Amino acid sequence: MSLSWLDRLTLFIHPQRVVLERQPWRGALSRQAAEVGAPVPGEADWKPVLAAGETLLKAAGKGGTLRIVVADHLVRYALLPWSEMLAGRQARLGMARALLKNSLGDKADGLDIALDQPAFGKTGVAAGIDRQLLTALRAAAKAQRLRLTSLQPRLIAELAAQDKKLDDGWFACLDIGWLTLAGVRDGEISSLHNHRASTNEPAILAGEMAGLLAAESAAVNGKKVLISTSAVAAPKLAGGW
């Protein structure tokens, strides 16, 4: 009798490479990867990413639970200022849409926006991912009879995995051509940068990060920096960080 329905799968969605990890109910973790091709002219940049993910899920067979982690390249974030007038979900969602619209223009209309749980007096976080991509990922999971347990941006997933290791300090996600830097104060994100990196060269990345850290040092208590890397060497930061 097959017990594949007990398997736990994790799909990492990335613009260059998609990875599927499988943890069977008994046995060692296995990993499969698929390179992502370039989009054809006029095609949405997430279409080749989706195609690679669908291929891996089909090859994995049916049954089990699925967790999806989306690279920050494909995520747009907004920080929500605290206000008693913005405590309700609809008010917070409206503010998030307005902030993303201000930075992205009409592209923001195509985003599906997720919100964190509001905390009194603290800044909140909104994350937007292309609505069509999310719909297609959910459909792909359903087609393989996979129970989708979570679908999160990489930054949010990795911060959750820190399990209170970083109450005050900075958390950096370094990826191929991308830099995400979050300032955490009293366990909550107080500053956030998510943008294309100028380079993958560690020495230059260190300078870029140091500039951001110096400019927003007041947003965080302390000079602790945790760095998570993917195919990029971690830079060494000077100045007591």
Side-chain angles (χ1 to χ4, degrees), residues 1 12 32 42 49 66 78 86 94 96 104 114 120 137 144 166 170 172 174 186 192 195 208 224 237:
M1 179 179 68
F12 298 94
Q32 293 178 292
V49 178
L66 176 66
L86 297 174
L104 301 174
F120 185 85
L137 287 172
Q144 296 304 116
L166 187 66
W170 296 88
L174 304 184
D186 296 329
L192 182 56
H195 56 76
E208 186 173 347
K224 181 178 182 180
L237 298 171

Side-chain angles (χ1 to χ4, degrees), residues 154 172-176 178-179 205 209 227-230 232-235:
R154 179 189 173 197
C173 286
L174 304 184
D175 210 330
I176 301 171
W178 205 262
L179 167 63
L205 265 178
M209 285 182 58
I227 299 176
S228 174
T229 67
S230 176
V232 177

Side-chain angles (χ1 to χ4, degrees), residues 64-75:
T65 62
L66 176 66
R67 169 176 171 255
I68 299 178
V69 179
V70 181
D72 290 319
H73 305 60
L74 301 170
V75 184

Side-chain angles (χ1 to χ4, degrees), residues 47-150:
K47 284 288 184 69
V49 178
L50 173 65
E54 289 176 331
T55 297
L56 289 181
L57 289 178
K58 288 178 182 177
K62 298 182 183 297
T65 62
L66 176 66
R67 169 176 171 255
I68 299 178
V69 179
V70 181
D72 290 319
H73 305 60
L74 301 170
V75 184
R76 298 297 176 261
Y77 294 103
L79 290 183
L80 306 179
W82 165 256
S83 169
E84 292 185 357
M85 300 295 292
L86 297 174
R89 173 175 171 76
Q90 290 306 313
R92 296 179 83 231
L93 185 59
M95 173 60 75
R97 290 193 185 282
L99 291 172
L100 290 168
K101 183 88 171 180
N102 183 62
S103 61
L104 301 174
D106 292 341
K107 290 183 178 180
D109 295 335
L111 299 180
D112 193 343
I113 301 173
L115 305 172
D116 65 351
Q117 290 296 322
F120 185 85
K122 294 186 178 181
T123 301
V125 181
I129 300 176
D130 190 285
R131 186 176 298 108
Q132 295 182 67
L133 171 60
L134 292 181
T135 299
L137 287 172
R138 293 182 179 113
K142 184 177 181 180
Q144 296 304 116
R145 299 177 185 172
L146 295 166
R147 183 165 61 88
L148 186 59
T149 57
S150 73

